[in-house]
Amino acid sequence: MTSASAAPIAAAPVVTVPIALGDRSYDIRIGDGLLDDPASWQGLPRAAVAAIVTNTTVAPLYAQRLAAALAPHYGRVLQIELPDGEAHKDWQTLDQIFSALLAASADRKTVLFALGGGVVGDMTGFAAASYMRGIPFVQVPTTLLAQVDSSVGGKTAINHPLGKNMIGAFYQPLRVLCDLAVLDTLPERELSAGLAEIIKYGPIADADFLGWIEDHLDALLARDRAAMAHAVRRSCEIKAWVVGQDEREGGLRAILNFGHTFGHAIEAGLGYGEWLHGEGVGCGMVMASDLSVRLGLMPPAFLDRMQRLVERARLPVRGPALGAERYLELMRVDKKAEGGEIRFVLIEQLGRAVMRAAPDALVRETLAAHAG
Amino acid sequence: MTSASAAPIAAAPVVTVPIALGDRSYDIRIGDGLLDDPASWQGLPRAAVAAIVTNTTVAPLYAQRLAAALAPHYGRVLQIELPDGEAHKDWQTLDQIFSALLAASADRKTVLFALGGGVVGDMTGFAAASYMRGIPFVQVPTTLLAQVDSSVGGKTAINHPLGKNMIGAFYQPLRVLCDLAVLDTLPERELSAGLAEIIKYGPIADADFLGWIEDHLDALLARDRAAMAHAVRRSCEIKAWVVGQDEREGGLRAILNFGHTFGHAIEAGLGYGEWLHGEGVGCGMVMASDLSVRLGLMPPAFLDRMQRLVERARLPVRGPALGAERYLELMRVDKKAEGGEIRFVLIEQLGRAVMRAAPDALVRETLAAHAG
């Protein structure tokens, strides 16, 4: 990685993380400047129509470059611009994609390109899963969070007024292209939100990676390209390893939701879009670490370590004052709840997570310590 | 089958048609009185919640019996009643299912039971495919059309204002239960609509079956239980054979759409719900037979034979006067169209179908002869 400074003109090597899912296998490519690299678009299926699905924030930055890159491969390249933000991850916005495709007579060979963050990726993925019962799609994640999390693993969804990500599909992309250069335009707040998901991979799967993140957090906050390349790659590798063993979230995959049960409750309780998903996850990890300590799974020092790291990443460590009852109610409707029992992802050893229920009384103690 | 009259009290034997789709394999069970047979519900996954999805027409007839049959196996059995008819096969109605499930805190182990015709089956199947990214479901088709067609093969969908069945998923049920006794309450018009799909299997896959249908059409119209058992079984076997080779409609499966390209245009042109789907298919088969003759694939006698059979089944043989341009426009937006070219399912030999394009001029001749 240090050799890059010796030859600054040369293209950085493209790293490929293979996602092994049988006939749904695909590659994640990570590199600097992939958007403008013709190799990025080679080997994809040909079609009369391609559609770039993006949002009003990302479109002016990158849509034209992507359209130019795709033009040689498709008869027509549509551009579908959605409103920006989690608050729009709903049926009405999804239907804009369907209506645009149908109005353009897009057939079932049409390839969709998701150009944006997690919301664009989730909606484009679900649109691809559902349009004419399934068309191919490619992820071009433009946020750090999408690069390390939502573009890997095939989870697609929209929100429902009664719950987050409740309507969706497991549907794999043909390819994921993580261009590190596009992270330069990312707002600070979204950078931090992405770091939350990167931090997550340490406690659940790789104690050494947690140490590496602590050592390189300043470089990551400064968007150092080499540090970012390693963080994205290692995050994707860990997620790929987990998803490869449990594509449909029968068991192991649930560990990827560390911090998410509390985080989703915060997001839903405040109304989607108030906190970024990664902010909810950051604070949720502190809460889940606290609960892990209260259950005697981890020593108190673990909570301190997690709280310090989340704080250094400029993420919130205190949840909003929704009231414990409301938190519990929101967590009971979470997808991971079964028969009304909340299943928390907890840490039982650095690098190893476990799913389990917890007494309401302890959860209330956690909420009293970290919310309101 | 004649032995049934010698021992009228004995339960008719249950016939099982296996659908071989790897880890998505399931059985279709066909028999008399399955709704009240405890064996029908054994071996399904346990869950805290089951939900019967049905419509306002079917609910008063069979929902209570199904709820009673399911009660021993589930903690709670919800009943979700949708408005009846193709006109309601849309997002708003689908969302009633999601909202009811979420309001009841139904988790991802919840089993859905589709009790109704093709519309209920399509919507329940897509709801099952999408709710929390996929929950199990069972088909209990109560119309002949659903028993021989829409409950077999895993196609689920809703309509979009710009096209029929445009939003959906390939998603397999755990089991399909075709209770022949429930056909007794079927309106005449829906009986005929179901016969259209049964007739279809002859020309596309089994010339002998076409002859059998001609010989037994009066018995089928009289709802003779033995004739119906054979017709449902043979139809499911043919569909199973086709779907087993081509689950996701890459090629062969498209032959099941014989009559559907014209039929969908009629349905869409008049507004969904005006003609029943089976009525569109009946008339569409006459048109597709005509086009097969005009292309020189089949002798004129084939058209006469198909037209006579469709007519005897009390199905329309003339399409509405939409105008040839409108027909062509509607067919071009059909899912089977690729790059704007309409792909027709045509008969090239009794029992063998082929997909191909046709010159617009010939299609206009067919429309001039059979529409308006």
Side-chain angles (χ1 to χ4, degrees):
Chain A
M1 277 183 287
T2 48
S3 66
S5 57
I9 308 298
V14 177
V15 170
T16 297
V17 178
I19 309 288
L21 296 169
D23 61 0
R24 296 177 302 287
S25 296
Y26 62 95
D27 284 340
I28 301 171
R29 300 192 192 173
I30 302 160
D32 197 350
L34 294 186
L35 204 57
D36 302 312
D37 180 354
S40 299
W41 320 107
Q42 277 159 16
L44 296 172
R46 289 151 180 273
V49 179
I52 298 170
V53 182
T54 186
N55 66 33
T56 48
T57 307
V58 175
L61 296 169
Y62 301 112
Q64 207 177 337
R65 275 164 60 194
L66 179 55
L70 298 179
H73 305 284
Y74 301 94
R76 237 176 350 146
V77 180
L78 306 177
Q79 186 172 319
I80 303 172
E81 267 185 51
L82 309 178
D84 189 8
E86 181 83 24
H88 299 285
K89 200 171 111 173
D90 57 14
W91 169 259
Q92 286 70 28
T93 309
L94 185 72
D95 192 46
Q96 286 183 233
I97 304 176
F98 296 139
S99 295
L101 293 174
L102 287 166
S105 299
D107 63 25
R108 56 172 57 162
K109 297 202 164 177
T110 302
V111 185
L112 301 189
F113 291 82
L115 177 70
V119 172
V120 164
D122 275 11
M123 289 210 291
T124 308
F126 188 40
S130 310
Y131 186 71
M132 296 192 175
R133 301 195 186 93
I135 60 173
F137 85 113
V138 173
Q139 295 266 23
V140 189
T142 60
T143 67
L144 182 57
L145 188 136
Q147 291 191 353
V148 300
D149 179 49
S150 49
S151 67
V152 190
K155 275 194 184 181
T156 73
I158 55 172
N159 298 328
H160 187 278
L162 298 177
K164 185 174 156 69
N165 289 329
M166 285 295 168
I167 314 301
F170 288 95
Y171 197 71
Q172 306 298 340
L174 294 175
R175 186 178 292 174
V176 179
L177 293 157
C178 299
D179 186 343
L180 302 169
V182 304
L183 300 179
D184 286 347
T185 54
L186 203 61
E188 296 282 339
R189 199 177 154 194
E190 295 208 34
L191 181 73
S192 291
L195 291 174
E197 296 281 2
I198 292 173
I199 290 169
K200 175 189 81 176
Y201 293 108
I204 65 166
D206 186 344
D208 289 346
F209 186 46
L210 181 61
W212 183 92
I213 297 166
E214 289 172 321
D215 293 345
H216 294 81
L217 191 69
D218 295 335
L220 292 170
L221 284 166
R223 306 176 201 224
D224 174 273
R225 211 55 65 85
M228 208 57 101
H230 180 74
V232 172
R233 175 197 188 149
R234 188 68 196 123
S235 297
C236 288
E237 281 172 350
I238 292 171
K239 182 149 188 185
W241 171 77
V242 172
V243 170
Q245 291 176 79
D246 178 22
E247 184 180 359
R248 296 186 68 87
E249 200 161 18
L252 179 68
R253 183 165 176 165
I255 69 168
L256 296 171
N257 286 315
F258 179 55
H260 285 57
T261 301
F262 288 106
H264 283 169
I266 293 171
E267 285 184 86
L270 292 175
Y272 298 119
E274 192 63 32
W275 279 33
L276 294 176
H277 174 66
E279 292 171 337
V281 170
C283 183
M285 286 193 291
V286 173
M287 291 174 169
S289 298
D290 178 288
L291 190 56
S292 303
V293 171
R294 281 180 205 276
L295 280 162
L297 300 171
M298 293 293 286
F302 170 66
L303 169 62
D304 296 340
R305 189 176 172 187
M306 286 302 295
Q307 184 159 341
R308 198 160 52 242
L309 184 57
V310 170
E311 211 157 16
R312 280 181 62 208
R314 300 172 191 159
L315 288 160
V317 294
R318 285 195 75 73
L322 304 174
E325 286 319 306
R326 181 73 179 132
Y327 270 100
L328 285 164
E329 181 189 322
L330 287 162
M331 292 192 287
R332 281 202 190 91
V333 81
D334 196 81
K335 280 195 301 304
K336 289 174 292 301
E338 269 178 23
E341 185 179 63
I342 310 164
R343 309 275 294 165
F344 293 95
V345 182
L346 301 169
I347 305 302
E348 58 172 4
Q349 184 183 315
L350 259 196
R352 206 169 70 198
V354 65
M355 289 281 292
R356 49 175 288 187
D360 277 5
L362 281 190
V363 179
R364 282 177 217 276
E365 285 180 25
T366 290
L367 291 167
H370 298 281
Chain B
M1 280 184 284
T2 48
S3 66
S5 57
I9 308 298
V14 177
V15 170
T16 297
V17 178
I19 310 288
L21 296 168
D23 61 0
R24 293 178 304 287
S25 296
Y26 63 94
D27 284 341
I28 302 170
R29 299 191 193 173
I30 302 160
D32 196 350
L34 294 186
L35 204 57
D36 302 312
D37 180 355
S40 298
W41 321 107
Q42 276 157 19
L44 296 172
R46 287 152 181 274
V49 180
I52 298 170
V53 183
T54 185
N55 67 32
T56 49
T57 306
V58 175
L61 296 171
Y62 301 112
Q64 207 177 337
R65 275 164 61 193
L66 179 54
L70 298 179
H73 304 284
Y74 301 93
R76 238 178 345 147
V77 180
L78 308 177
Q79 186 172 318
I80 303 171
E81 266 184 51
L82 309 178
D84 189 8
E86 180 85 24
H88 299 285
K89 200 171 112 173
D90 56 13
W91 171 260
Q92 285 70 27
T93 309
L94 185 73
D95 193 47
Q96 287 184 231
I97 305 177
F98 295 140
S99 294
L101 293 173
L102 287 166
S105 298
D107 64 25
R108 56 170 61 160
K109 297 201 163 177
T110 301
V111 184
L112 301 190
F113 291 82
L115 176 70
V119 172
V120 164
D122 274 13
M123 290 211 290
T124 308
F126 188 41
S130 309
Y131 186 70
M132 295 190 177
R133 300 195 188 92
I135 60 173
F137 85 114
V138 173
Q139 294 267 23
V140 189
T142 60
T143 67
L144 182 57
L145 188 136
Q147 291 192 352
V148 300
D149 179 47
S150 49
S151 67
V152 190
K155 277 195 183 180
T156 73
I158 55 172
N159 298 328
H160 187 281
L162 299 177
K164 185 174 158 67
N165 289 329
M166 286 295 169
I167 313 302
F170 287 96
Y171 197 70
Q172 306 297 340
L174 294 175
R175 186 178 293 173
V176 179
L177 293 156
C178 298
D179 186 343
L180 301 170
V182 305
L183 300 179
D184 285 347
T185 55
L186 202 62
E188 295 283 338
R189 198 176 155 196
E190 296 207 33
L191 181 74
S192 292
L195 290 174
E197 295 281 2
I198 291 174
I199 290 169
K200 175 190 80 177
Y201 292 109
I204 65 166
D206 186 344
D208 290 345
F209 186 46
L210 182 60
W212 183 92
I213 298 167
E214 289 172 322
D215 292 345
H216 293 80
L217 192 68
D218 295 335
L220 292 170
L221 285 165
R223 305 175 202 225
D224 174 273
R225 212 56 65 82
M228 207 56 102
H230 180 74
V232 172
R233 176 196 187 150
R234 188 68 197 124
S235 297
C236 288
E237 282 172 351
I238 292 171
K239 182 149 187 185
W241 171 78
V242 172
V243 171
Q245 291 175 80
D246 179 21
E247 186 181 358
R248 295 185 67 88
E249 201 161 18
L252 179 67
R253 182 165 177 164
I255 69 167
L256 297 172
N257 287 315
F258 177 56
H260 285 57
T261 301
F262 287 107
H264 284 169
I266 293 171
E267 285 184 86
L270 293 175
Y272 297 120
E274 192 62 32
W275 280 33
L276 295 175
H277 174 65
E279 292 171 338
V281 170
C283 182
M285 285 193 292
V286 173
M287 291 173 168
S289 299
D290 179 288
L291 190 56
S292 303
V293 171
R294 280 180 207 277
L295 281 161
L297 300 171
M298 294 292 286
F302 170 66
L303 169 61
D304 297 338
R305 189 175 173 187
M306 286 302 295
Q307 183 159 340
R308 199 161 48 240
L309 185 56
V310 169
E311 211 157 17
R312 279 181 64 206
R314 301 172 191 158
L315 290 160
V317 293
R318 283 197 77 73
L322 304 174
E325 286 319 307
R326 181 73 179 132
Y327 270 99
L328 287 164
E329 181 189 322
L330 287 162
M331 292 192 287
R332 279 199 192 94
V333 81
D334 196 81
K335 282 194 299 306
K336 288 172 293 299
E338 269 176 23
E341 185 178 64
I342 310 165
R343 307 275 294 165
F344 293 94
V345 182
L346 302 168
I347 306 301
E348 58 172 3
Q349 183 184 314
L350 259 196
R352 207 168 71 198
V354 65
M355 291 280 293
R356 51 174 286 188
D360 277 4
L362 280 190
V363 179
R364 281 177 218 275
E365 286 180 23
T366 291
L367 291 167
H370 296 280

